[in-house]
Amino acid sequence: MDDIVKMIGLKNNCTFCGVFRRQALDRGAALLKVDKLVTGHNADDIAETVLLNILRGDIARLSRCTSITTGEDGPIPRCKPFKYTYEKEIVMYAYFKKLDYFSTECIYSPNAYRGFVREFIKDLERLRPRAILDIIKSGEDFRIATTTKMPEQGTCERCGYISSQKWCKACVLLEGLNRGLPKMGIGRPRGVNGDHKKDTKKPGPAVKSIESKQCGSLDFQNFGN
Amino acid sequence: MRLTLEFGGGLELLCDSEKIHKVNVDLPNGAAAADDFTMKHLLSWVRTNLIKERPEMFMKGDTVRPGVLVLVNDCDWELSGQLDTTIEEKDVIVFISTLHGG
């Protein structure tokens, strides 16, 4: 991640980290041939995600982000069992049971958008603690108009994973890093060969070329964060 | 007044990475205030004397930053009156930050 940040600067780090981490999780799960992938997202996280998607107008994610299980029709469904558990409860439990855990802050994105939403939600929680669960409930109750255009699920041309675009996000980001075009895959879509500044120098100094192997006909859920 | 203060969840980084602080706090404005020593007084004492950097990570206004859990003798301070909780000799107060990256 240090190398990536050296190349792309201090903005949009969450995109790279999140997409690559999710890909690593997916691939690792496939290698281990697991039945289900379970993450520790808690109520605060889900509420933040709902608000984040509203603020960014991401209707596709908004419809999916409150499902407790996603990807049931794929080979490895994903589940969030702590969906209704407040972060506060989890911390208190860990404290009283003397459980060891990491509590380091991410050093790469002090100005991440999610941070602002988190502040807002914490202030809401202080005034009315039920607000967090209520936001999740509202998120679950959203219904998208049938006339709204939604992205269609296809496969990535480069690696064969599930993707709603020609190339999956991980491939787009990777290609951008390897080609020395850090802005590729960031911001409003302009197509894979968008009109970026001509920056055809060799790729950044210490970027390890993480060659993604051909995955052929493997069909994995690869929804974003 | 002798107290034990603990910092967790990353807050210890604001106090020279010391998790446990055994402190002796001077009562504000005279001994008569022994019964009136509340969390409010303690918080400003902590901010002045223990927090060595980034005070905005610990406090917001008069109270702790939202997202910081406060336990007085292992009991959530929301049950004892938050800022009005009275503090007595040998109390153990724990501050845990619940804000972590993911």
Side-chain angles (χ1 to χ4, degrees):
Chain A
M1 195 61 203
D2 286 330
D3 298 331
I4 293 182
V5 173
K6 269 190 218 140
M7 229 190 133
I8 62 174
L10 291 169
K11 276 189 86 175
N12 298 313
N13 298 343
C14 296
T15 306
F16 285 83
C17 178
V19 170
F20 287 144
R21 268 195 301 154
R22 197 46 55 102
Q23 188 191 52
L25 257 182
D26 282 342
R27 305 279 172 108
L31 284 175
L32 291 171
K33 298 193 187 350
V34 302
D35 299 308
K36 260 196 176 55
L37 186 54
V38 163
T39 50
H41 291 95
N42 57 44
D44 297 44
D45 293 329
I46 309 278
E48 281 166 27
T49 307
V50 170
L51 283 184
L52 217 47
N53 286 330
I54 292 177
L55 289 171
R56 290 204 289 229
D58 194 333
I59 195 83
R61 291 212 167 89
L62 194 53
S63 54
R64 298 189 302 250
C65 67
T66 42
S67 314
I68 202 166
T69 312
T70 53
E72 277 147 318
D73 39 338
I76 302 185
R78 269 192 240 153
C79 180
K80 304 178 173 74
F82 291 123
K83 178 184 169 197
Y84 296 113
T85 320
Y86 279 47
E87 196 159 22
K88 176 172 170 169
E89 291 179 87
I90 296 178
V91 172
M92 289 198 78
Y93 183 84
Y95 173 72
F96 285 119
K97 291 284 199 177
K98 304 200 189 318
L99 302 175
D100 229 343
Y101 64 93
F102 288 111
S103 53
T104 39
E105 265 177 65
C106 172
I107 49 173
Y108 299 114
S109 266
N111 293 321
Y113 202 30
R114 185 172 280 262
F116 295 102
V117 181
R118 182 168 287 175
E119 276 286 319
F120 179 60
I121 289 207
K122 285 300 173 188
D123 283 333
L124 279 181
E125 186 189 9
R126 161 164 297 198
L127 295 172
R128 190 168 85 91
R130 238 188 70 175
I132 295 183
L133 283 181
D134 290 343
I135 293 179
I136 300 178
K137 177 83 170 70
S138 299
E140 287 167 351
D141 289 345
F142 280 144
R143 296 285 176 265
I144 319 287
T146 43
T147 47
T148 313
K149 183 163 194 317
M150 296 285 260
E152 270 164 32
Q153 221 178 73
T155 37
C156 173
E157 285 179 1
R158 195 166 175 263
C159 71
Y161 267 28
I162 256 194
S163 168
S164 56
Q165 314 294 328
K166 222 163 86 160
W167 278 17
C168 71
K169 194 68 165 185
C171 288
V172 172
L173 293 180
L174 196 53
E175 188 67 15
L177 286 175
N178 286 340
R179 275 210 257 156
L181 297 170
K183 290 283 178 225
M184 202 159 116
I186 305 291
R188 294 259 169 263
R190 291 185 216 108
V192 174
N193 300 314
D195 40 299
H196 301 277
K197 285 203 302 268
K198 285 290 174 209
D199 186 10
T200 48
K201 308 280 185 301
K202 59 184 188 303
V207 173
K208 298 189 208 56
S209 193
I210 318 158
E211 281 304 307
S212 40
K213 299 193 176 45
Q214 286 295 327
C215 296
S217 55
L218 286 174
D219 188 10
F220 285 98
Q221 297 296 323
N222 193 15
F223 297 134
N225 273 6
Chain B
M1 191 181 287
R2 267 175 293 266
L3 303 167
T4 307
L5 304 175
E6 287 182 32
F7 294 88
L11 282 181
E12 62 272 21
L13 297 171
L14 305 177
C15 325
D16 291 330
S17 299
E18 279 285 328
K19 281 201 158 159
I20 306 188
H21 297 254
K22 289 204 184 307
V23 297
N24 203 341
V25 179
D26 298 317
L27 298 171
N29 305 332
D35 276 344
D36 299 336
F37 190 63
T38 62
M39 277 303 295
K40 199 162 178 204
H41 303 122
L42 181 63
L43 282 183
S44 56
W45 187 92
V46 169
R47 192 206 339 233
T48 318
N49 295 288
L50 285 181
I51 306 292
K52 302 286 188 267
E53 54 178 294
R54 295 184 290 162
E56 69 278 4
M57 292 277 135
F58 179 65
M59 284 184 70
K60 188 166 163 180
D62 262 345
T63 184
V64 291
R65 183 176 174 216
V68 174
L69 255 183
V70 183
L71 300 173
V72 178
N73 298 325
D74 275 353
C75 171
D76 191 347
W77 75 334
E78 301 208 10
L79 300 171
S80 50
Q82 275 207 23
L83 284 173
D84 296 325
T85 313
T86 39
I87 305 292
E88 293 168 13
E89 189 79 35
K90 300 220 213 96
D91 275 355
V92 178
I93 296 121
V94 186
F95 299 97
I96 315 178
S97 172
T98 61
L99 303 168
H100 319 123

